[in-house]
């Protein structure tokens, strides 16, 4: 919600942010509502959050730390858990 509030205080739309970060609008929307299941791997989301915060001149490290508290981790994909030989 810090990102959303920062965006709104600068009178920017979700589309403005998406355009500047070269991301789909849906990605920005999902970040703002903490809907990480519809986003790519945590490593990417962490980078998106950091870039978003920097764009708004917000404390990126603090915002990423808040994201880390959620405890979202990458889960191995089905492909990576399958036996290669079998």
């Amino acid at each position: 919600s810090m990102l959303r509030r920062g965006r709104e205080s600068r009178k920017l739309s979700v589309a403005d942010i998406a355009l500047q970060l070269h991301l789909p609008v849906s990605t920005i929307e999902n970040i703002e509502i903490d809907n990480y299941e519809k986003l790519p791997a945590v490593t990417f989301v962490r980078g998106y959050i950091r870039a978003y915060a920097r764009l708004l001149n917000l404390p990126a490290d603090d915002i990423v730390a808040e994201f880390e508290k959620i405890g979202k981790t990458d889960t191995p994909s089905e492909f990576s858990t399958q036996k290669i030989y079998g």
Side-chain angles (χ1 to χ4, degrees):
S1 66
M2 290 174 63
L3 294 171
R4 181 184 48 77
R5 286 192 310 264
R7 173 183 59 76
E8 289 172 347
S9 72
R10 287 162 181 82
K11 303 203 184 315
L12 295 169
S13 69
V14 171
D16 293 331
I17 299 298
L19 182 65
Q20 291 184 52
L21 294 179
H22 306 287
L23 293 170
V25 168
S26 62
T27 297
I28 302 304
E29 291 170 340
N30 284 312
I31 288 171
E32 287 190 355
I33 62 171
D34 298 325
N35 186 10
Y36 302 110
E37 288 73 34
K38 292 191 177 185
L39 295 172
V42 170
T43 303
F44 292 105
V45 175
R46 191 179 298 117
Y48 298 162
I49 291 171
R50 185 174 305 281
Y52 191 175
R54 286 180 178 161
L55 178 66
L56 298 175
N57 295 316
L58 297 173
D61 290 338
D62 294 345
I63 294 172
V64 170
E66 287 298 315
F67 168 70
E68 298 289 335
K69 287 181 185 177
I70 294 171
K72 179 84 174 125
T73 60
D74 287 330
T75 54
S77 69
E78 182 180 323
F79 178 77
S80 68
T81 60
Q82 291 177 353
K83 292 170 80 174
I84 296 175
Y85 302 103

